[in-house]
Amino acid sequence: MKEDKLILAIESSCDETAAAVVRNGREVLSNVISSQIELHKLYGGVVPEIASRKHIEKINQVIEEAIKEAGVTLADVDAIGVTYGPGLVGALLVGVAEAKAIAYAAKKPLIGVHHIEGHISANYIENKELEPPFICLVVSGGHTHLVRVTDYGVYEILGRTRDDAAGEAFDKVARAIGLGYPGGPKIDKLAKEGDEKAISFPKAKVAESPYDFSFSGLKSAVLNYINSCQMKGENINKADIAASFQKAVIDVLVEHAMMAVKNFGNKKLAIAGGVASNSSLRAAMQKACAENGVTFYYPSPVLCTDNAAMIGTAAYYELLKGVTHGWDLNAVPNLKLGER
Ligand code: KG4
Ligand code: ZN
C-alpha cells in the first residue's frame, strides 16, 4: 500500500473558487484561488446569486490547474475533500456537486469538510510541529469562535459572537468611512497612519458568558461618532477612526484568547480566518503570548483567507480516522462545528 495520501480539495463557500492538492495533510502541492472580489466590490459586498454563477463558470479550470500545478493525475489522488458548510447555499452546492461527480467518476472516497474546521487546520500547514490540544481563535467574515481543539477534528466551542462577526464589523466600519469592500485589509493599512487612542470606543463584553463576543455595539458606536461629527460640521479623521476601532476589536480578541489559554492551562494558541491576517492583531497576540509563555501559531495571509489547501488538510485527518461521506452529501449552509 502506498504511504503518501493525496487529497484533492475544493472550496466554494463564499466568493473564492478554490482547489488544492495536499500531501499527507501538511504539504501543499498546489493552492489555486480564483477570487471574485473585483466583481462583488461593485455592490459593496458578496451577492450570493452572482457568487454561485461565477463558481460554476470557474470551478473546472481551477481544479484542472490545481492538479496540473501539483504534477499529479486524478488517479494519484486518494480522496476528494470539499467544504459542505457553513456558507452560501448556492455557492456551496457548486463545490459539493463537483466533488461528488469527480469522486463518483474516479471511484474515490468523498470527504465533506466544515469550513471553520478548514480555517483552523490551516495552522497545521506551516507549523509542522503543531498538534492538538491547543486553543484557536477563529475570526473571519462570517464567524468569530474561540475554540478548544482537543484532538484532530474534535472541537469544544468556548465562545462565539452574539451578533456581528469580527470581519463583518471591519467591513461595515470600512464602508461607513468610504473605504469600500472588503474592508478588513483597508482598515489594517489605514490604521497604521492613525492614532489608536484618538477615540474611545466601547469594548463590548457579554456579562454572563466571558468567552463570547459582541461587535454590533462597537459598530454602532463608530456610526454614531461619524454622524455626530457630521452634525457638528467637523471633519472626520478616517485613519484615527480605523486605528481606534481596530484597537477596540483587537483588545477584546486578545483578552479572551489569553483568558482561555490560562483557564485551560494550554500553552499553545493559534489564530485562523480572514481577520487573522490583520497585522496589528498578529502583533498584539504575539506580544501577549510572549508575555505569558505561550507559543503563538498563525497561518500566512493566503492561508488565512478562504482557500482549498486548508480543506485538504482537514480532509486528510478525517481520512486517517476513516471518516468519509456517502453519495447523499448535501450543502448545509448553517452547519455547526463538530457536526457531521
Ligand atoms: O475567512 P474569510 O476569507 O472568509 C470567511 O470565511 O468569512 O474572511 C474574510 C474576512 C472579511 O471580512 C475581510 O474584511 C477580513 O476577513 N479580512 C481582514 C483582513 N484581511 C481580510 N480583516 C482585518 N484585517 C485584515 N488584514
Ligand atoms: Zn472563510
Side-chain angles (χ1 to χ4, degrees), residues 115 119 140 306 310:
H115 182 75
H119 275 302
S140 75
D306 289 350
M310 66 184 196

Side-chain angles (χ1 to χ4, degrees), residues 11 13-16 37 86 115-116 119 138-143 165-172 174 180-189 245-246 272-282 301 303-307 310:
E11 154 67 42
S13 65
C14 191
D15 60 347
E16 332 275 354
I37 283 183
H115 182 75
I116 297 301
H119 275 302
V138 186
V139 272
S140 75
H143 308 269
E168 204 178 341
F170 270 92
D171 293 338
K172 286 177 179 169
Y181 177 85
K186 292 185 175 137
I187 291 203
D188 190 351
K189 195 158 165 244
F245 156 77
Q246 184 174 270
V275 183
S277 55
N278 183 278
S279 56
S280 301
L281 172 63
R282 286 169 179 254
L303 295 172
C304 285
T305 44
D306 289 350
N307 66 88
M310 66 184 196

Side-chain angles (χ1 to χ4, degrees), residues 83-85 88-90 92-93 96 328-334:
T83 306
Y84 74 111
L88 304 168
V89 69
L92 288 165
L93 280 171
V96 170
D328 59 349
L329 180 70
N330 204 344
V332 184
N334 57 355

Side-chain angles (χ1 to χ4, degrees), residues 7-89:
I7 307 278
L8 168 64
I10 300 169
E11 154 67 42
S12 71
S13 65
C14 191
D15 60 347
E16 332 275 354
T17 319
V21 177
V22 179
R23 185 193 283 147
N24 298 332
R26 302 210 181 207
E27 195 188 340
V28 177
L29 303 187
S30 63
N31 189 22
V32 179
I33 304 167
S34 169
S35 174
Q36 305 177 3
I37 283 183
E38 288 305 317
L39 198 61
H40 297 287
K41 250 185 195 168
L42 304 170
Y43 307 93
V46 178
V47 183
E49 167 93 14
I50 295 176
S52 317
R53 287 169 187 252
K54 209 65 198 169
H55 285 310
I56 202 89
E57 214 175 285
K58 292 280 178 190
I59 198 152
N60 279 35
Q61 294 92 299
V62 167
I63 292 172
E64 197 174 26
E65 208 180 316
I67 291 178
K68 201 167 144 209
E69 219 177 83
V72 300
T73 65
L74 192 53
D76 300 325
V77 165
D78 293 280
I80 315 294
V82 64
T83 306
Y84 74 111
L88 304 168
V89 69

Side-chain angles (χ1 to χ4, degrees), residues 245-315:
F245 156 77
Q246 184 174 270
K247 173 155 174 41
V249 175
I250 292 174
D251 281 355
V252 171
L253 295 177
V254 171
E255 236 173 71
H256 287 202
M258 295 324 288
M259 182 166 57
V261 166
K262 281 182 198 156
N263 287 351
F264 290 96
N266 203 304
K267 290 287 177 198
K268 290 185 272 183
L269 175 76
I271 56 171
V275 183
S277 55
N278 183 278
S279 56
S280 301
L281 172 63
R282 286 169 179 254
M285 216 50 112
Q286 180 85 67
K287 185 167 174 276
C289 284
E291 284 167 3
N292 290 282
V294 172
T295 312
F296 178 46
Y297 300 92
Y298 50 91
S300 293
V302 69
L303 295 172
C304 285
T305 44
D306 289 350
N307 66 88
M310 66 184 196
I311 303 303
T313 299

